[in-house]
Amino acid sequence: MGRGKLRIYLGAAPGVGKTYAMLSEAHRRVERGTDCVVGFVEHHSRPRTEVMLHGLELIARRELEYRGSTFTEMDVDAILARRPAVALVDELAHTNVPGSRNAKRWQDVEELLQAGIDVISTVNIQHLESLGDVVETITGVRQRETVPDEVARRADQIELVDMSPQALRRRMAHGNVYKPDKVDAALSNYFRPGNLTALRELALLWVADRVDEYLQEYRGEHNIRSTWQARERIVVGLTGGPEGRTLVRRAARLAEKGAGGEVLAVYIARSDGLTAASPKELAVQRTLVEGLGGTFHHVIGDDIPDALLEFARGCNATQIVLGVSRRRSWQSVFSPGVSATVARESGPDLDVHIVTHDEAAKGRRSLPVPQGARLGRSRIIWGWLAGIAGPALLTVLLNQLVPGLGLANDMLLFLTCTVAAALLGGLLPALASAAFGSLLLNYYFTPPLHQFTISDPKNIVAIAIFIGVALSVASVVDLAARRTHQAARLRAESEILSFLAGSVLRGEDSLHALLERLRETFTMQSVALLERSSEVDAWTTAAAVGTSPVSRPEDADVDLPMGDNMALSLTGRVLPAEDRRVLGAFAAQAAVVLDRQRLVDEAEKSRELAEANRIRTALLAAVSHDLRTPLAGIKASVSSLRSDDVEWSEDDRAELLEGIEDGADRLAALIGNLLDMSRLNTGTVVPLIRVTDLDEVVPMALGGVPEDSVELDIPETLPMVAVDRGLLERAVANIVENAVKYSPDGQPVNVSASALASRVELRVVDRGPGVPEEARARIFEPFQRHGDAPRGAGVGLGLAVARGFTEAIGGTLTAEDTPGGGLTMVITLPIAADGPAVPPELSRTPRRMR
């Protein structure tokens, strides 16, 4: 008897249709003649799911007594006795009632599989054990019922039941998932769009990883070595050189072009441990790769191209990114290099990208160092070896192995050593080679031998020509080196000047970044931009970067005046005169950036003044109309009461007094909002933060709304929040009054609260006309009223004041759609540091209040 097969329907959240899909599969199998039974299915009173149970054989559940209550669980013994071909077992992560055969339902399923029974089950992504912490961070709810990932990964088939967050929320709003009395709470808490989107992404990624495992197993079983381009995997070959950062970033951009792209950086080391890579640079590149979402791999292999291709094919990569070879052009004669070899042997299933890079960018030194040799230290060393050791070795060879070649041939051979020294090391090694070679020629090869004398005048001419040719070649090589150095320097200067010109055109105004670029360009310790008001005033620092910047130009190693009252001061080393041109360009750009920053600051102040002027203008408009309206009503009522011409009845007098009271209330509310807005604009709102309970503050904010217009749902078990009670009460009052104003008759505004992770959310839900998404930002601006709000409905400050007060106490105020129509205002508040922890389940007792 073989082991049964497990098929799992995986979903991102309750309600996506896992159980429905499982029952549909059962009906298909029954129609094909498969013996299929329902071991345990929980339909949660969902009509469509309940209908799907018709026509399927149900195994009676087992009843268990626990703490005076009766519970039902799956009867494993009954299923084993029945021995069907397929058993349906819902909710794989379920915890059985104490006293059951097993503690977990997945253990019951394991018994059925061991008995050779195929099982079809369901589970949500949040119930996988490894994702518990992630799900808690996203939703604020800790899942207590979990299933080990290994159990799910051992499944023979995993099918994702997917649904967009918007579709799931519509399904819930229509009552297809939860009962109507639970829909609003669920949509406001666990089933928010952000939560559902994150859970959906988790499910998709988990299933994608499982698909990769299936694919690797299949390729291994069938010994498939070619690449199957089912998913973009990009391998980056690193050498430990600075060009690796460029390659990693290039590979990351390639991966972003396709959904699900993956970057794998690999460094291949020789088995003997010999390497020229910089450990520090490799560590930097590893951090960069992981920061971009890729992985770093260290592989051992003596044949680097072969090892790289083997790694790429082993991980089913689709692309390889390599850098242009750093070797000299003449070295390609002996070997084509790693990049060319990989490109030639990659085959049609692997794309190879050869990326150019700038080797001269080491340490971001943009200008060549003026000190030292222009040909490089290694070339100078080889030049001295060729100029000194070469003639000495040549003398030994000519005396011992091939004597008697003749003075002319000997001179040509010695001239070769001198030319080689000139080509490699420049003028000084060539001069030394010419002098040393002429002495050796005179002593060993010019008669009389072994004496520093020359008997034949022709030999004197020959040696003189030899020295002249050597000096000429050395001079030409040295001149070429100097010209190359100058060209490189001019190129670097042009690149820097181009960068500065581009920054001007792009409008970049970061003075700190510009000075940092200057410091890195010249490898200085610090750079400071100093200025003063006049020649008699002290210097002040406008901007500075680096360690220990100077405060006076006299203390700097390099001081570049910029007019009478500004100077650029650098410390670290003394710069040569040839660097002053580029330094002057930096100084000019720094002055421009500083002026631009000050102009921007002035423009911002002007904008603030213009905004204040706009508010004053709107305030005058509000005073001229919205404040005049209630005043006119009050004055008319008072005038009527004082009139001697009319005898008012008690009912009339009461009506006029009520009108006076309503007008005074409206006037007080308008003036209160105007004063609050003025306090916010002037920055005089100083919150007094205290730890408090929401159920003590929110009811106090509902005094200004009609009775039965608000349904309050604030659990007493909510954690305490750190807020200013007065500011929060005022903010909530404005929001609730606005919601009641736009809610239809008979549709109370719902005010509820819930705890999520380290925050508490207060939601004010109305069923009014709502606000389009593009207009939601404007409703929080002062003196703004959306749509066709009638004049006299307020000056448009309520929501602006509410947001200002909410942000002043460390919270946020946002607007969302209400499922089914309307607008939901969400106030997010921080939980007090010393407040109680969020309980696993919050009691919710709705109360209808005024």
Side-chain angles (χ1 to χ4, degrees), residues 242-243 326 357-362:
E243 77 280 358
R326 292 186 295 166
H357 54 83
D358 189 1
E359 178 75 340
K362 295 180 180 179

mmCIF file of all heavy atoms in Angstrom, residues 242-243 326 357-362:
data_model
loop_
_atom_site.group_PDB
_atom_site.id
_atom_site.type_symbol
_atom_site.label_atom_id
_atom_site.label_comp_id
_atom_site.label_asym_id
_atom_site.label_seq_id
_atom_site.Cartn_x
_atom_site.Cartn_y
_atom_site.Cartn_z
ATOM 1 N N PRO A 242 36.639 47.131 -8.524
ATOM 2 C CA PRO A 242 35.624 48.173 -8.325
ATOM 3 C C PRO A 242 34.539 48.192 -9.382
ATOM 4 O O PRO A 242 33.484 48.763 -9.176
ATOM 5 C CB PRO A 242 36.448 49.471 -8.348
ATOM 6 C CG PRO A 242 37.684 49.126 -9.108
ATOM 7 C CD PRO A 242 37.983 47.686 -8.799
ATOM 8 N N GLU A 243 34.785 47.557 -10.534
ATOM 9 C CA GLU A 243 33.750 47.550 -11.566
ATOM 10 C C GLU A 243 32.552 46.702 -11.158
ATOM 11 O O GLU A 243 31.487 46.769 -11.774
ATOM 12 C CB GLU A 243 34.320 47.035 -12.891
ATOM 13 C CG GLU A 243 34.508 45.530 -12.969
ATOM 14 C CD GLU A 243 35.789 45.075 -12.275
ATOM 15 O OE1 GLU A 243 36.525 45.947 -11.771
ATOM 16 O OE2 GLU A 243 36.066 43.863 -12.255
ATOM 17 N N ARG A 326 39.761 43.673 -17.935
ATOM 18 C CA ARG A 326 40.709 44.709 -17.516
ATOM 19 C C ARG A 326 42.130 44.430 -18.007
ATOM 20 O O ARG A 326 43.055 45.169 -17.685
ATOM 21 C CB ARG A 326 40.718 44.808 -15.985
ATOM 22 C CG ARG A 326 39.422 45.343 -15.403
ATOM 23 C CD ARG A 326 39.553 45.544 -13.908
ATOM 24 N NE ARG A 326 39.744 44.297 -13.211
ATOM 25 C CZ ARG A 326 40.145 44.189 -11.946
ATOM 26 N NH1 ARG A 326 40.435 45.273 -11.266
ATOM 27 N NH2 ARG A 326 40.278 43.010 -11.370
ATOM 28 N N HIS A 357 33.122 49.646 -18.189
ATOM 29 C CA HIS A 357 33.318 50.290 -16.889
ATOM 30 C C HIS A 357 34.597 51.111 -16.940
ATOM 31 O O HIS A 357 35.444 50.943 -17.832
ATOM 32 C CB HIS A 357 33.389 49.244 -15.769
ATOM 33 C CG HIS A 357 34.415 48.172 -16.007
ATOM 34 N ND1 HIS A 357 35.743 48.328 -15.704
ATOM 35 C CD2 HIS A 357 34.295 46.921 -16.532
ATOM 36 C CE1 HIS A 357 36.411 47.227 -16.015
ATOM 37 N NE2 HIS A 357 35.553 46.368 -16.521
ATOM 38 N N ASP A 358 34.747 52.013 -15.987
ATOM 39 C CA ASP A 358 35.882 52.937 -15.962
ATOM 40 C C ASP A 358 36.828 52.533 -14.842
ATOM 41 O O ASP A 358 36.568 52.737 -13.677
ATOM 42 C CB ASP A 358 35.387 54.364 -15.740
ATOM 43 C CG ASP A 358 36.503 55.383 -15.932
ATOM 44 O OD1 ASP A 358 37.630 54.949 -16.254
ATOM 45 O OD2 ASP A 358 36.242 56.577 -15.780
ATOM 46 N N GLU A 359 37.935 51.892 -15.213
ATOM 47 C CA GLU A 359 38.917 51.445 -14.217
ATOM 48 C C GLU A 359 39.548 52.627 -13.483
ATOM 49 O O GLU A 359 39.974 52.500 -12.335
ATOM 50 C CB GLU A 359 40.000 50.633 -14.945
ATOM 51 C CG GLU A 359 41.134 50.135 -14.074
ATOM 52 C CD GLU A 359 40.759 48.965 -13.184
ATOM 53 O OE1 GLU A 359 39.567 48.750 -12.924
ATOM 54 O OE2 GLU A 359 41.669 48.276 -12.742
ATOM 55 N N ALA A 360 39.589 53.777 -14.131
ATOM 56 C CA ALA A 360 40.231 54.940 -13.507
ATOM 57 C C ALA A 360 39.401 55.535 -12.388
ATOM 58 O O ALA A 360 39.823 56.503 -11.773
ATOM 59 C CB ALA A 360 40.503 56.004 -14.562
ATOM 60 N N ALA A 361 38.242 54.955 -12.134
ATOM 61 C CA ALA A 361 37.375 55.534 -11.100
ATOM 62 C C ALA A 361 37.683 55.028 -9.712
ATOM 63 O O ALA A 361 36.876 55.194 -8.807
ATOM 64 C CB ALA A 361 35.916 55.234 -11.436
ATOM 65 N N LYS A 362 38.799 54.393 -9.473
ATOM 66 C CA LYS A 362 39.139 53.868 -8.150
ATOM 67 C C LYS A 362 39.212 55.012 -7.146
ATOM 68 O O LYS A 362 39.931 55.973 -7.351
ATOM 69 C CB LYS A 362 40.481 53.146 -8.180
ATOM 70 C CG LYS A 362 40.479 51.888 -9.045
ATOM 71 C CD LYS A 362 41.842 51.223 -9.027
ATOM 72 C CE LYS A 362 41.866 49.966 -9.884
ATOM 73 N NZ LYS A 362 43.180 49.324 -9.899
#
